[in-house]
Amino acid sequence: MMLANRWTGQPVGGWWMSEKLDGVRCFWDGGTLRTRAWRAIAAPAWFTAKLPRGVALDGELWGGYGTFQLASELSRYARADDPAWRQMQLCVFDWPTCEALPVEQRFLLARAAAEAAGCGWCEQRRIRTDEVPA
């Protein structure tokens, strides 16, 4: 998983971008929901039951705009019985273990897996060269 870096003028035309969600970055390793630091998140069984077994998905634990604090608390504390989980979703943006595939194909597979699991999808789009600030 990659962390965002500050843009310092390097050419980015052709790169991919998505909306920055105000949630907690997490990773579904095919059996456990994990934080970026690889710590297991105590998510409810009903939440993880819909996620695809054996398929790794990179995404964000997100409950909508203005819910970062709630997502952060749920990811840090063993509160699988907290009713706040009902407003959370895994908003997927990549299938990182398919790195040998072209990125466009990886996104298609990730989106299909997310939709089949009832997860959110964070739309990816390629940056046009004419969008890049001078």
Side-chain angles (χ1 to χ4, degrees):
M1 291 185 287
M2 294 176 42
L3 294 176
N5 292 307
R6 180 173 294 279
W7 181 67
T8 57
Q10 66 271 38
V12 295
W15 288 13
W16 291 88
M17 71 174 189
S18 63
E19 178 181 4
K20 167 60 178 106
L21 298 176
D22 193 20
V24 173
R25 182 80 176 265
C26 63
F27 187 82
W28 172 250
D29 69 5
T32 303
L33 193 61
R34 299 185 176 279
T35 66
R36 191 171 55 202
W38 212 247
R39 188 177 36 80
I41 296 173
W46 61 263
F47 187 91
T48 58
K50 64 183 181 179
L51 299 174
R53 298 289 169 209
V55 173
L57 298 172
D58 196 0
E60 193 97 358
L61 181 62
W62 192 62
Y65 299 107
T67 62
F68 171 76
Q69 189 61 38
L70 183 57
S72 177
E73 289 175 13
L74 291 173
S75 72
R76 288 182 289 141
Y77 305 114
R79 297 183 356 200
D81 60 343
D82 192 317
W85 275 101
R86 295 276 174 207
Q87 71 183 92
M88 292 292 132
Q89 67 175 316
L90 176 61
C91 198
V92 175
F93 47 80
D94 196 7
W95 187 331
T97 56
C98 290
E99 60 191 13
L101 296 175
V103 70
E104 294 90 347
Q105 191 173 0
R106 212 169 71 203
F107 290 160
L108 288 173
L109 289 171
R111 182 177 192 156
E115 289 175 351
C119 295
W121 170 251
C122 193
E123 194 65 43
Q124 307 286 326
R125 75 175 187 84
R126 188 164 245 156
I127 301 171
R128 295 186 326 257
T129 303
D130 63 345
E131 292 179 296
V132 179

